[in-house]
Amino acid sequence: MSRSRTERLVNLVICLLSTRRFLTAAQIAATVPGYEHDPRDARQHEAFQRKFERDKAELRDLGVPLETGTTSVFDTEQGYRIAHREYALPEVRLEPDEAAAVGIAARLWQHAGLAAAASSGLAKLRAAGIDVDPAATVGLEPLVTVDPAFGPLTAAARARQAVTFAHRVPSGDAPTRRRLQPWGVVCWRGRWYVVGHDLDREATRCFRLSRIVGPVRPTGGPAAFPRPEVDLLSHVRRWSGAPERSGQARVWARAGRAAGVRRWAAASAPGTEGDVLELRYGDVDSFAGYLAGFGADVRVLEPPELREAVIGRLKEIVAEGAA
């Protein structure tokens, strides 16, 4: 997927998450960067419609719950929105407003220009008299990059082209070569997975993108296999199972802040200018990334390895912002 299309998709998601009303195609075209055109020009308008149809299909392939409908009985044209109730991510302990700010957008964007474009789009919505969630602009900063395998795998899934890649499992030292007919890429508990037919195992398999080592290489030609009607997210959910939270942490949270962390806490005690929370967690790296998102409102007291992981993640964010 090209950078310009990735930016357009992210801005489209932010736009549709920022209001609970249905937005028409014309309102979206006037709001989302990348859709600019003169609607009076038949060729330009036709090009916009083709682009918009492709983008809607892409979002649905990624598991984004895109709805169509009208806001009132007086509307004559159908509109589009993203259902907050279906798009929230409770497994990663986000408040609904946090989910609106950091859903797919925060995981996809790669540079600072996207934040400005997103804020500009929301300003256009307000100027048009459309109510915008005031929390929608929170956190519109580039924080993380997508896994390198994301682009090649989504492209191969769209083209229905088989791929080969090296995949490392936690229990093994050396990666193994896998051959896959990819059906799609979805996000589950903050991580990206590809689902498809494993040609060596002759069975459905899913692989976490962060465990793919080296390049993803296409093999054979396009349209080489049929894509079955499969709920990819449900398959990943069954495959991954419930995370084992064997780690224990003590975390200081500033008074009145970090509501998501507080809800996760097994116990809480008053501390200086805040509270000391007891938390259980599974993977150190993923939990450190989650805590780092709260910035100065959260400080890890123990264990040392979690504290160091959070500090390391914050340094990475600073370095990425200065690049």
Side-chain angles (χ1 to χ4, degrees), residues 5 95 109 119 139 143-144 148 183 215 219 223 229 249 280 298 300:
R5 188 178 183 195
E95 299 288 347
W109 63 52
S119 298
L143 296 179
V144 294
W183 299 336
T219 61
E229 293 295 328
R280 298 183 66 85
V298 166
V300 176

Side-chain angles (χ1 to χ4, degrees), residues 11-314:
N11 281 309
L12 177 58
V13 169
I14 293 173
C15 173
L16 296 179
L17 279 173
S18 301
T19 178
R20 296 187 181 278
R21 65 178 290 182
F22 290 95
L23 300 180
T24 65
Q27 290 171 322
I28 292 170
T31 303
V32 176
Y35 287 140
E36 301 91 342
H37 72 286
D38 183 355
R40 296 168 298 181
D41 186 310
R43 294 181 61 182
Q44 289 189 28
H45 188 60
E46 184 181 354
F48 157 71
Q49 289 178 317
R50 290 197 302 268
K51 186 187 301 183
F52 187 43
E53 289 300 321
R54 289 196 302 268
D55 290 350
K56 287 191 296 181
E58 181 74 29
L59 291 182
R60 288 179 172 124
D61 284 345
L62 289 172
V64 177
L66 188 63
E67 291 185 337
T68 59
T70 56
T71 302
S72 74
V73 295
F74 301 103
D75 292 337
T76 58
E77 182 181 353
Q78 75 169 3
Y80 306 88
R81 72 180 182 186
I82 293 175
H84 286 245
R85 65 185 181 278
E86 298 179 18
Y87 194 65
L89 305 173
E91 292 79 13
V92 293
R93 306 292 179 176
L94 294 180
E95 299 288 347
D97 57 337
E98 293 169 334
V102 303
I104 228 176
R107 290 192 297 272
L108 285 180
W109 63 52
Q110 300 182 18
H111 52 85
L114 189 55
S119 298
S120 173
L122 296 180
K124 292 178 182 178
L125 285 179
R126 295 189 183 96
I130 298 173
D131 292 332
V132 173
D133 184 352
T137 55
V138 175
L140 291 186
E141 297 293 339
L143 296 179
V144 294
T145 58
V146 74
D147 296 294
F150 181 89
L153 286 172
T154 53
R158 287 196 303 272
R160 291 186 287 128
Q161 185 174 21
V163 295
T164 180
F165 52 82
H167 181 261
R168 188 192 305 276
V169 296
S171 58
D173 294 328
T176 58
R177 180 64 54 181
R178 310 304 289 263
R179 297 186 304 135
L180 186 73
Q181 293 176 340
W183 299 336
V185 178
V186 293
C187 188
W188 169 243
R189 292 193 176 121
R191 299 187 184 277
W192 290 99
Y193 296 83
V194 59
V195 182
H197 178 71
D198 190 312
L199 293 171
D200 296 310
R201 274 67 174 179
E202 288 296 332
T204 301
R205 291 288 187 270
C206 59
F207 302 93
R208 202 167 89 185
L209 268 58
S210 61
R211 292 177 180 162
I212 293 178
V213 181
V216 175
R217 303 186 186 280
T219 61
F225 56 88
R227 178 180 174 179
E229 293 295 328
V230 175
D231 186 339
L232 303 181
L233 190 58
S234 294
H235 183 83
V236 173
R237 189 181 295 120
R238 291 193 303 269
W239 174 82
S240 61
E244 181 183 357
R245 293 178 180 162
S246 57
Q248 297 185 8
R250 292 177 65 248
V251 173
W252 173 86
R254 192 182 304 276
R257 306 301 295 271
V261 178
R262 293 175 181 277
R263 191 176 62 212
W264 197 338
S268 175
T272 305
E273 298 183 354
D275 302 293
V276 177
L277 312 177
E278 295 183 9
L279 306 167
R280 298 183 66 85
Y281 63 93
D283 180 70
V284 171
D285 291 336
S286 61
F287 190 48
Y290 170 72
L291 293 177
F294 292 92
D297 291 331
V298 166
R299 185 171 65 249
V300 176
L301 304 177
E302 57 183 36
E305 60 267 27
L306 178 61
R307 182 172 61 248
E308 292 302 317
V310 172
I311 293 172
R313 181 66 190 120
L314 291 172

